Amino acid sequence: MFLNFFSELKAAKIPVTLKEYLMLMEGMDKSVIDRRVEEFYYLSRAALVKDEKYLDRFDVVFGHVFKGLELFSLEKATDIPAEWLKRLTESFLTDEEKAQIEAMGGFDKFMEMLQEQMRQQQGDGDDGEDDENAKGKGRNLPIGANGYHPEGIRIGQDKGRHGKAIKVWDKREYKNLDDQVELGTRNIKVALRRLRKFARTGQPDELDMKGTIKETANKGYLDLIMQPERRNTIKVLLFFDIGGSMDSHIRVCEELFSAARTEFKNMEFYYFHNCLYESVWKDNRRRHSEKLDTWDILNRFGKDYKIIFVGDATMSPYEITYPGGSVEHWNEEPGAVWLDRVVKTWDSVAWLNPTPQRHWDHTPSISVMREIVGDRMFPLTIEGLEKAMKELVR
């Protein structure tokens, strides 16, 4: 069974290794968990899944291999594995609860009740009860939702109430964390975490356990050693294209901005329109009155900053390559000159483009921009974000 589970995970392209599998087997051999399917699920997930983006795939494979998490339709209620349920009865119920079940006529009588209840809910046998009672809602019946019973089966309810149902025959809904799905703030955070560089700086306000043990052993008395907290020291400079064709990408840019502010403590951001020119701004409501000189930006931030441009790079090529090409003002120098200065000032530069990559070759300005940034343009997807983060830490 476990070897089949391992093979299915590999087939689903989840990067599990033999070492991790043996670690899981060692944990089972040493009985670090009780022999319950829920505990085995959490143990195997902790041992075999190394990245959050594979959690969905793992859940699907787990449900497929062990069958207990698959959708069980009401039309197939007679296929409930009775022997499996009987074994669970011996494992989880107290003597008092077992006696209560026996008083009802035993497990076989219970299964007959279940089948009869299914027929009633499908309209085969209407006994005049309302829907509340027909589903066993809120009562001490073993079938239905919201009730309490030592050997209950929950059907048709979004979540449990008492945690006593021995099995949930409902469809499991998964929250997408895969790298092929659309972006969301949480998914973006997962991808941005690739861009990390930890260091201990600041005031020593955290106990250094290893240092304390070593110094205590050397001196013969308790000597507390403190150290600064370990923090992410990556410094990020974000440039957001705003307005025009970027209006259709506002939502995803907002999610990216929200995730970046959470993940990076050392982050600065500026706005531009279409292409970088001699000035940028911090507040779009005051972009005409409170512009910032791009030269100041180039000289203010050190070479250890990671530069990220966010824009669709969709414009007339003249806006990039010609003086006066800007659609909003007369620019003395082409935008390409300013972008080239950025590339030469900072070694780590990446461009995130929210336009689907399949459309890039049909837009001349995107090709021009990719050439200027050294082909370091990536699609604004989870996979594209991960590639961009790898490029920035390279």
Side-chain angles (χ1 to χ4, degrees):
M1 179 190 297
F2 294 132
L3 282 174
N4 181 47
F5 181 39
F6 180 75
S7 300
E8 291 285 347
L9 292 172
K10 295 284 286 185
K13 296 183 179 180
I14 300 175
V16 292
T17 64
L18 183 60
K19 180 180 179 181
E20 293 158 351
Y21 174 74
L22 293 176
M23 183 186 303
L24 174 62
M25 293 298 98
E26 182 181 1
M28 295 293 292
D29 184 58
K30 294 184 178 179
S31 300
V32 298
I33 60 169
D34 294 331
R35 297 190 178 276
R36 300 176 57 183
V37 65
E38 292 84 2
E39 296 194 17
F40 175 72
Y41 165 78
Y42 288 113
L43 176 65
S44 58
R45 190 179 74 171
L48 301 175
V49 180
K50 301 184 288 293
D51 196 312
E52 286 179 292
K53 71 181 182 181
Y54 298 114
L55 288 178
D56 274 358
R57 299 188 203 178
F58 176 85
D59 283 356
V60 172
V61 172
F62 190 93
H64 171 68
V65 172
F66 296 101
K67 302 298 190 293
L69 299 179
E70 291 184 334
L71 172 63
F72 192 88
S73 64
L74 296 179
E75 290 75 16
K76 298 181 179 179
T78 54
D79 294 332
I80 294 176
E83 291 301 321
W84 185 82
L85 291 173
K86 287 180 180 179
R87 288 197 299 270
L88 283 181
T89 301
E90 300 298 325
S91 301
F92 302 133
L93 298 182
T94 65
D95 292 337
E96 181 181 354
E97 291 171 335
K98 292 177 184 177
Q100 184 179 355
I101 294 169
E102 290 301 322
M104 295 178 60
F107 185 82
D108 293 334
K109 179 66 176 178
F110 163 71
M111 294 302 295
E112 292 177 9
M113 289 175 57
L114 173 61
Q115 294 175 19
E116 178 65 24
Q117 195 74 28
M118 294 300 103
R119 285 195 293 270
Q120 290 179 8
Q121 291 186 20
Q122 295 175 55
D124 294 339
D126 186 2
D127 59 4
E129 291 185 347
D130 57 23
D131 290 341
E132 280 282 298
N133 290 332
K135 294 181 181 179
K137 191 170 184 179
R139 301 186 298 166
N140 190 28
L141 289 180
I143 307 163
N146 298 320
Y148 181 93
H149 193 276
E151 195 168 22
I153 288 183
R154 170 158 64 82
I155 299 174
Q157 180 180 317
D158 59 343
K159 60 182 179 180
R161 298 295 189 273
H162 306 295
K164 295 293 290 185
I166 59 173
K167 203 62 196 170
V168 180
W169 300 101
D170 286 329
K171 180 180 179 181
R172 292 200 65 205
E173 298 291 345
Y174 303 105
K175 188 171 183 66
N176 289 323
L177 293 174
D178 213 336
D179 59 0
Q180 302 298 319
V181 301
E182 63 179 292
L183 287 171
T185 302
R186 186 185 178 197
N187 291 2
I188 295 173
K189 288 181 181 180
V190 172
L192 292 180
R193 285 170 190 166
R194 305 292 189 274
L195 186 59
R196 283 184 169 182
K197 181 180 180 182
F198 289 102
R200 297 189 181 276
T201 57
Q203 292 295 321
D205 53 5
E206 182 180 273
L207 178 65
D208 180 0
M209 185 61 71
K210 290 185 177 180
T212 297
I213 294 173
K214 181 178 179 180
E215 291 302 314
T216 299
N218 289 337
K219 297 178 180 178
Y221 59 85
L222 180 61
D223 186 10
L224 296 178
I225 304 299
M226 306 299 291
Q227 63 183 357
E229 182 182 353
R230 188 168 175 260
R231 295 184 174 90
N232 184 10
T233 59
I234 285 291
K235 300 176 181 178
V236 176
L237 189 56
L238 274 169
F239 290 94
F240 284 97
D241 182 5
I242 197 75
S245 58
M246 283 297 293
D247 286 346
S248 59
H249 305 296
I250 287 177
R251 180 176 173 271
V252 69
C253 289
E254 287 177 341
E255 292 176 343
L256 175 64
F257 182 65
S258 175
R261 293 197 69 163
T262 302
E263 291 300 315
F264 306 125
K265 302 305 179 184
N266 300 313
M267 188 192 83
E268 291 289 340
F269 67 93
Y270 298 94
Y271 296 109
F272 66 95
H273 179 60
N274 282 358
C275 188
L276 184 68
Y277 297 112
E278 68 277 0
S279 60
V280 292
W281 56 92
K282 296 278 287 186
D283 189 336
N284 285 299
R285 294 168 297 183
R286 302 177 180 178
R287 67 188 189 93
H288 295 294
S289 59
E290 296 184 5
K291 290 188 176 182
L292 304 171
D293 197 324
T294 306
W295 268 120
D296 290 342
I297 306 298
L298 291 171
N299 293 308
R300 185 188 310 172
F301 298 100
K303 293 182 68 66
D304 55 340
Y305 271 80
K306 311 296 182 182
I307 312 303
I308 302 176
F309 285 92
V310 182
D312 59 5
T314 301
M315 67 199 87
S316 166
Y318 295 105
E319 295 184 55
I320 306 173
T321 57
Y322 276 73
S326 172
V327 295
E328 292 193 323
H329 72 290
W330 176 267
N331 53 298
E332 296 291 341
E333 295 180 296
V337 172
W338 288 103
L339 287 168
D340 184 62
R341 287 168 180 161
V342 170
V343 172
K344 291 180 178 178
T345 301
W346 291 286
D347 297 327
S348 300
V349 178
W351 188 296
L352 298 174
N353 193 330
T355 303
Q357 191 169 4
R358 62 181 180 275
H359 300 313
W360 289 4
D361 292 338
H362 305 294
T363 306
S365 60
I366 294 180
S367 300
V368 174
M369 201 70 78
R370 289 178 68 183
E371 183 177 351
I372 293 173
V373 298
D375 204 26
R376 288 176 286 184
M377 182 178 289
F378 305 91
L380 189 46
T381 62
I382 295 298
E383 185 179 11
L385 272 172
E386 290 186 349
K387 290 181 178 179
M389 297 307 104
K390 289 180 180 178
E391 170 64 31
L392 291 175
V393 298
R394 187 168 57 89

